[in-house]
Amino acid sequence: MVQEYQSPVRVYKHPFELIMAAYVRRFPKCPLIPVFVDSEVISESHSEDGSTLVTERRCMVDVDAPRLLKRIAGVDYLYFIQKNTLNRRERTLRIEVHNETFSNRVIVRELCNYSVHPENEDWTCFEQTASLDIKSFFGFESSAEKIAMKQYASSIKKGKEIIEHHLRELEEEGITYIPRWTPPVVPPTATARRQLPPVSTARAIPVHNARDGLSSKDPASPTELLAGSPDDKLDADYIRRYLGDLTPLQESCLIRLRQWLQETHKGKIPKDQHVLRFLRARDFNLDRAREILCQSLTWRKQHQVDFLLDSWERPQLLQDYYTGGWHHHDRDGRPLYILRLGQMDTKGLVRALGEEAMLRQVLSINEEGLRRCEENTRVFGRPISCWTCLVDLEGLNMRHLWRPGVKALLRIIEVVEANYPETLGRLLILRAPRVFPVLWTLVSPFIDENTRKKFLIYAGNDYQGPGGLVDYIDREVIPDFLGGDCMWDFPEGGMVPKSLYRTAEELESEENRLWTDSIYKSASVFKGAPYELLVEIAEASSVITWDFDVCKGDVIFNIYHSKRAPQPPKKDALGAHGITSPGAINVQLIDRNWVLGQDYSMVEKALTCREGESVQGSHVTRWPGFYILQWRFHSSPACSASSLPRVDDVLASLQVSSHKCKVMYYTEVLGSHDFRGSMTSLESSHSGFSQLSAVTTSSSQSQASSTISR
């Protein structure tokens, strides 16, 4: 397996030339890196004008490995070839490293770059990438890989320290400024001297103006750097300030996952803090974190969770009887949420509102928690990525163990665990009664082990003693119902009137509505059974628009037109009640007896869509009639060998097979007077799709087919 490393951008607040002077002091050997034994220059060359210097070194490294492993390998030292290309004109240093020892068994590659900061030409940036591929190593491949990664991580941490150490040495020697390289002056010939123009009286701009405190952003300055800072790179100082202290390998996982999202994910990219939560939830296993993050992003897009806080209005019943709310922060600066569960009539709320409303309420709390973490990070000047929850169980009784209520609680826990990992920093459970162990036995198996470790449970009044509440929350913010002085300005709870209860039939009709009440619909595409959608067009020049994500497998997308109405699909037992069976075989709208070119025609060129792609486009209809959008299974070698992780719909209830694909789609028909181009037409829609399309990249293939149809 190939191990890869990608560093954040490390910024030195010193000019490039001074950094280079510090860098060369680490050769031929560096006492600060004991494993770096020695080095020798094996070749050196200059460009004609002296602006470029290429140096090759052979470096000797003493790896901290068990003596037995060294004896088996038959070596005491490892040798690496380092090629440095210093471009003084462009102010860059490129460092390429590969291993000489065991090059037929192990492949080591490293690339480092020093360059000028894009926004401040008196600062220097450093980036580093590396890869390790151990093909064979005397049967000790796993051990060798662990030793190499540990050794490499240690040397990365020392890299900046070494440069700063040599910068201090230069300062002690009185060297605080080194002029930039300038091209050598070639004396003009006698003829050229006679043809020189008059000397200008304009004042020259000093090359070292930044050193003198002058701005170097003058557009007329020849040294002005116009390039901006790339958005897809993370600064090491930014990581420490907003994300916390990470090891070099953890930083690498974050950067690589973030880059992968930017390259492959077509929807809204989550914030770095949220990406880091998924990595922590899977112990920085990149593949596992990527899989659960993709599932969560699909879920968020399908159900428009990003717009939940702005679009969902809490029912009046929740405002009157839900006994929880955000309440200041704990001693660590984490947002504090307090829930008086024992005073809340959970059975009454579920019976009156249904599981749907309770789930939306919990999701809105989590979304608000993410916002508060970002705000507290700015306020307290340190990374805050999770919150503290205080649950008061006084009043908890057997009514809270009502089976449908527990079922709803377990479902809510499952959704939160899957989509909001590592958001709970601490859970304080106060005044736990005797019935609590029963509830805990039912709930705890569904809670992640890392989350369970954050639970602190206090029985009776134990929370008032040493090691209790005051260790985690300041006295001045402890609510009055727990003996504090802070007012609790939230509902006191109480029993929900039975007159507000809804019938079982009403609740059942809305069960799982969060999964179905979405502008997007999910569809399964089976081998030999494509998924087909019928769109009836009453007048020509109408515009059919589409947006779909290929969640699993590869599909072929087609659009057909027919003047004949397809036969209405036969409903199964579930379909007779308006419920679509997720496991039912797709109904074929195109009759098998139809002949292409006679009974129906293809109006768009077939589009092959790969797993993970998001496709948008439109088709201007030429004739009225019946249009069929078809997604067909595409069995190509690329499908089974796809390097993308599965992004299956998290709600799929059946085992995914190799002969099944999944798509999540949305379609809309617009009148010609509302159509203003393939993507701008989506902005005329008021269905909410335009909000998503604004952050989704359209498929170039889909746009091309739309252009052809016009």
Side-chain angles (χ1 to χ4, degrees):
M1 180 178 177
V2 179
Q3 296 287 345
E4 296 181 345
Y5 171 77
Q6 169 67 61
S7 76
V9 179
R10 187 180 300 158
V11 178
Y12 297 96
K13 297 183 180 180
H14 298 278
F16 175 81
E17 290 72 22
L18 198 61
I19 295 297
M20 290 300 98
Y23 172 78
V24 297
R25 292 196 169 205
R26 61 189 298 177
F27 299 104
K29 61 179 64 178
C30 182
L32 296 178
I33 309 181
V35 298
F36 189 76
V37 179
D38 201 359
S39 66
E40 61 174 336
V41 177
I42 56 179
S43 70
E44 190 173 85
S45 62
H46 293 264
S47 61
E48 291 185 3
D49 60 0
S51 63
T52 303
L53 170 64
V54 179
T55 306
E56 284 199 38
R57 293 184 177 89
R58 190 168 186 260
C59 304
M60 182 190 302
V61 176
D62 182 12
V63 178
D64 185 15
R67 184 171 182 81
L68 176 61
L69 187 59
K70 287 186 175 181
R71 291 186 62 182
I72 293 175
V75 296
D76 291 324
Y77 300 105
L78 302 180
Y79 291 90
F80 293 83
I81 302 300
Q82 182 191 74
K83 179 182 177 181
N84 291 2
T85 304
L86 174 63
N87 190 322
R88 299 185 179 95
R89 184 191 302 275
E90 301 293 335
R91 303 177 75 196
T92 61
L93 173 65
R94 179 182 175 90
I95 306 170
E96 301 169 86
V97 180
H98 68 271
N99 61 307
E100 185 181 66
T101 308
F102 300 124
S103 58
N104 60 333
R105 297 176 177 268
V106 180
I107 300 176
V108 178
R109 294 287 184 269
E110 183 182 49
L111 176 63
C112 306
N113 282 292
Y114 286 90
S115 60
V116 177
H117 193 286
E119 296 179 359
N120 189 330
E121 58 185 29
D122 288 318
W123 290 358
T124 305
C125 296
F126 172 78
E127 291 182 81
Q128 182 177 8
T129 61
S131 64
L132 169 68
D133 184 9
I134 300 181
K135 298 183 179 299
S136 65
F137 199 76
F138 311 103
F140 292 90
E141 290 79 15
S142 178
S143 299
E145 182 178 286
K146 291 178 181 178
I147 293 172
M149 296 304 293
K150 180 181 178 181
Q151 195 83 56
Y152 192 71
S154 176
S155 66
I156 290 170
K157 294 181 68 174
K158 284 187 170 291
K160 188 173 183 179
E161 298 174 8
I162 294 169
I163 293 293
E164 291 175 343
H165 169 77
H166 291 308
L167 285 171
R168 288 192 296 270
E169 283 185 345
L170 290 170
E171 186 176 359
E172 291 171 0
E173 296 171 11
I175 303 173
T176 58
Y177 173 73
I178 297 177
R180 298 180 188 177
W181 178 87
T182 55
V185 178
V186 179
T189 61
T191 304
R193 277 196 296 268
R194 289 194 298 270
Q195 297 177 352
L196 287 175
V199 177
S200 172
T201 58
R203 179 176 62 86
I205 298 176
V207 174
H208 56 279
N209 53 4
R211 176 173 174 261
D212 297 333
L214 302 176
S215 172
S216 61
K217 296 298 182 182
D218 183 352
S221 171
T223 59
E224 168 67 6
L225 295 176
L226 301 178
S229 180
D231 292 333
D232 61 341
K233 295 182 180 179
L234 292 181
D235 185 285
D237 293 334
Y238 161 82
I239 291 178
R240 283 192 297 272
R241 168 66 176 80
Y242 292 99
L243 304 180
D245 291 326
L246 304 177
T247 68
L249 297 183
Q250 289 173 345
E251 289 178 341
S252 175
C253 286
L254 173 62
I255 294 169
R256 288 163 58 199
L257 180 54
R258 190 171 178 268
Q259 289 177 342
W260 181 86
L261 284 170
Q262 290 172 329
E263 292 169 359
T264 62
H265 184 65
K266 306 301 181 182
K268 182 177 180 180
I269 301 296
K271 295 183 179 180
D272 299 325
Q273 294 89 338
H274 203 50
V275 175
L276 185 59
R277 291 184 181 103
F278 284 86
L279 283 166
R280 283 178 171 147
R282 292 298 180 266
D283 295 325
F284 286 87
N285 183 306
L286 187 60
D287 292 333
R288 292 171 60 201
R290 180 165 53 187
E291 182 176 0
I292 62 171
L293 177 58
C294 286
Q295 292 175 349
S296 180
L297 293 178
T298 301
W299 174 82
R300 294 184 70 88
K301 180 178 179 180
Q302 182 174 5
H303 308 299
Q304 297 182 281
V305 179
D306 290 327
F307 310 113
L308 182 63
L309 290 180
D310 300 323
S311 62
W312 185 60
E313 294 185 8
R314 294 175 67 210
Q316 189 62 43
L317 266 175
L318 284 177
Q319 299 181 37
D320 295 338
Y321 291 96
Y322 192 87
T323 56
W326 292 101
H327 183 78
H328 302 285
H329 56 80
D330 68 3
R331 287 183 177 272
D332 297 322
R334 296 167 174 165
L336 174 63
Y337 189 85
I338 298 180
L339 176 65
R340 302 186 68 181
L341 183 60
Q343 303 299 314
M344 187 167 66
D345 182 11
T346 54
K347 179 179 179 179
L349 287 174
V350 174
R351 286 292 303 274
L353 295 172
E355 184 180 332
E356 162 68 18
M358 299 301 293
L359 178 56
R360 286 184 183 270
Q361 167 71 1
V362 173
L363 294 183
S364 68
I365 292 170
N366 280 271
E367 289 296 306
E368 177 64 24
L370 297 179
R371 287 189 181 183
R372 287 176 177 264
C373 285
E374 294 177 19
E375 181 181 344
N376 285 19
T377 296
R378 292 190 293 268
V379 170
F380 293 101
R382 61 178 183 272
I384 295 174
S385 61
C386 54
W387 51 81
T388 293
C389 185
L390 187 155
V391 180
D392 179 24
L393 296 183
E394 185 184 50
L396 190 77
N397 53 47
M398 294 302 294
R399 183 179 175 85
H400 291 86
L401 300 181
W402 178 57
R403 186 174 181 83
V406 174
K407 174 176 171 289
L409 176 61
L410 296 179
R411 179 170 175 267
I412 290 171
I413 290 174
E414 183 180 6
V415 172
V416 171
E417 284 281 314
N419 298 285
Y420 301 93
E422 295 298 315
T423 53
L424 181 65
R426 184 180 295 116
L427 178 63
L428 303 171
I429 300 177
L430 274 54
R431 302 196 278 195
R434 292 183 178 180
V435 74
F436 173 73
V438 179
L439 180 61
W440 178 249
T441 301
L442 294 172
V443 171
S444 60
F446 296 89
I447 302 175
D448 181 75
E449 182 180 355
N450 290 334
T451 304
R452 291 202 301 268
K453 294 177 182 178
K454 303 171 184 177
F455 285 31
L456 297 174
I457 303 173
Y458 299 89
N461 294 323
D462 293 348
Y463 70 92
Q464 296 177 345
L469 203 55
V470 293
D471 285 8
Y472 306 102
I473 303 173
D474 291 330
R475 290 184 181 274
E476 55 268 22
V477 299
I478 295 178
D480 51 6
F481 67 85
L482 291 175
D485 299 326
C486 192
M487 291 294 296
W488 173 252
D489 191 21
F490 289 94
E492 294 293 331
M495 302 297 290
V496 176
K498 291 187 177 181
S499 60
L500 300 177
Y501 285 12
R502 303 170 71 181
T503 64
E505 290 75 15
E506 290 175 325
L507 294 177
E508 185 178 357
S509 67
E510 292 192 359
E511 188 176 2
N512 292 337
R513 189 180 167 199
L514 180 62
W515 312 127
T516 57
D517 184 19
S518 168
I519 61 173
Y520 286 89
K521 294 180 173 59
S522 295
S524 297
V525 181
F526 299 92
K527 190 172 185 179
Y531 182 83
E532 296 174 346
L533 179 69
L534 181 64
V535 179
E536 186 174 359
I537 298 297
E539 60 180 42
S541 299
S542 296
V543 183
I544 303 173
T545 63
W546 60 81
D547 169 52
F548 64 88
D549 288 352
V550 185
C551 301
K552 168 60 182 166
D554 298 345
V555 298
I556 297 176
F557 179 61
N558 284 298
I559 305 178
Y560 299 100
H561 171 264
S562 174
K563 295 180 180 180
R564 299 170 53 184
Q567 293 298 320
K570 296 180 181 180
K571 295 184 178 179
D572 57 16
L574 290 175
H577 298 282
I579 304 173
T580 302
S581 172
I585 298 298
N586 296 333
V587 177
Q588 304 301 292
L589 298 176
I590 300 177
D591 195 295
R592 295 184 181 275
N593 297 322
W594 285 8
V595 178
L596 184 63
Q598 296 181 12
D599 301 292
Y600 69 109
S601 59
M602 183 185 296
V603 297
E604 288 279 6
K605 183 180 179 182
L607 178 66
T608 301
C609 309
R610 302 296 182 184
E611 180 178 321
E613 287 187 350
S614 182
V615 180
Q616 300 84 32
S618 58
H619 172 77
V620 181
T621 61
R622 297 179 59 186
W623 316 279
F626 301 92
Y627 287 80
I628 299 172
L629 279 60
Q630 182 193 78
W631 289 268
R632 182 157 46 88
F633 184 90
H634 179 54
S635 54
S636 65
C639 179
S640 59
S642 172
S643 60
L644 293 174
R646 295 185 176 182
V647 197
D648 291 344
D649 189 332
V650 294
L651 308 171
S653 58
L654 299 177
Q655 179 69 29
V656 177
S657 71
S658 60
H659 299 296
K660 177 182 177 182
C661 301
K662 292 192 75 68
V663 296
M664 188 176 71
Y665 70 90
Y666 171 81
T667 62
E668 186 174 10
V669 178
L670 302 174
S672 57
H673 57 280
D674 292 327
F675 179 67
R676 300 191 300 274
S678 64
M679 285 308 294
T680 55
S681 67
L682 304 178
E683 297 174 1
S684 66
S685 164
H686 298 287
S687 63
F689 175 55
S690 56
Q691 293 175 307
L692 291 175
S693 67
V695 294
T696 307
T697 305
S698 61
S699 164
S700 59
Q701 290 176 295
S702 179
Q703 286 184 340
S705 66
S706 298
T707 304
I708 293 170
S709 69
R710 291 194 293 273

